[in-house]
Amino acid sequence: MLSSNNDAKTCRIVVLISGNGSNLQAIMDQCGRGGIPAEVTAVISNVESAFGLTRARQAGISAHCLDHRDFANRLEYDDALAALVEAFHPDLVVLAGFMRILGPQFVDRFAGRLINIHPSLLPRYPGLDTHERAIADGAKEHGASVHFVTQDLDAGPVIIQGRVAVMKDDSAEILAARVHDVEHRIYPQAVGWFASGRLALKDGVALLDGQPLTD
Ligand code: GAR
């Protein structure tokens, strides 16, 4: 359920990353242009060398590394991560290439305000190596999905998808670049919907303007 905060004021976003952060950049750019009534208040990575942290610092955004290798197990890491995220009082938590599975306690704590982008047309190709698998299958179409995060890996309700054609001679790298282009369009769009109070998760269904989103 959306808090009334989203209707009245700037939506506070915490973004979790593990790498390059090009989706983070797309979201920061849209916020900076005033295209989304939101601000990225913090960026957290589990990898110190993630370029996304540099992007955040360059934009004057609070940037932190919480390395999972410093914790004894997933639960301890997730607890520390949740505490760090909560410290920024987010209305929305955005996973943007965060390459760790989050346990049920974390997911439940942020239910309805936790979204992810996955590089496939879900429910096709959950998990890793999605571009390689699409090419190996001879798929004609591929893409990316933004979804609410639930306890089922890469299986939460889909909010928006972007499609690209798979060309005959595509390598995984070329296809990934094409998918990235659509990711940079659909992720700010989904964040914008949430920030303006139009998007919610209710009874396991993603709603836009109160209507179920179906692909
Ligand atoms: C994106 O392609 C995103 O879909 C993928 O990681 C990439 C991050 O790129 N996420 C996953 O695979 C999650 N399972 P970025 O760091 O340049 O935004």
Side-chain angles (χ1 to χ4, degrees), residues 19-24 96-99 116-119 127 154 180 183:
N20 180 30
S22 67
N23 281 287
L24 162 69
F98 185 69
M99 301 307 283
N116 180 46
I117 191 159
H118 183 77
D154 297 334
H180 258 112
E183 290 188 341

Side-chain angles (χ1 to χ4, degrees), residues 120-123 144-146 158-163 182 185-186 215:
S120 77
L121 295 172
L122 292 171
S145 308
V146 178
V158 169
I159 297 164
I160 187 171
Q161 293 185 313
R163 295 167 186 278
V182 302
R185 183 172 51 78
I186 65 174
D215 188 50

Side-chain angles (χ1 to χ4, degrees), residues 41-154:
T41 52
V43 174
I44 302 168
S45 173
N46 64 317
V47 177
E48 179 68 58
S49 60
F51 183 60
L53 289 175
T54 304
R55 295 178 189 269
R57 289 181 187 121
Q58 281 171 349
I61 291 168
S62 187
H64 306 267
C65 176
L66 194 67
D67 191 331
H68 55 279
R69 293 171 305 184
D70 295 338
F71 293 81
N73 54 48
R74 187 180 301 280
L75 191 56
E76 283 187 20
Y77 180 74
D78 283 4
D79 278 351
L81 182 63
L84 182 56
V85 169
E86 292 278 25
F88 295 97
H89 308 293
D91 298 303
L92 178 66
V93 180
V94 170
L95 307 183
F98 185 69
M99 301 307 283
R100 274 190 64 80
I101 294 171
L102 293 163
Q105 284 87 349
F106 188 99
V107 170
D108 285 351
R109 187 158 170 175
F110 295 99
R113 54 185 176 125
L114 179 61
I115 63 175
N116 180 46
I117 191 159
H118 183 77
S120 77
L121 295 172
L122 292 171
R124 273 178 263 169
Y125 311 123
L128 299 175
D129 302 324
T130 59
H131 312 303
E132 289 84 348
R133 288 155 66 200
I135 290 169
D137 279 357
K140 297 271 178 286
E141 191 179 54
H142 186 46
S145 308
V146 178
H147 64 94
F148 280 106
V149 177
T150 62
Q151 292 189 17
D152 302 317
L153 182 66
D154 297 334

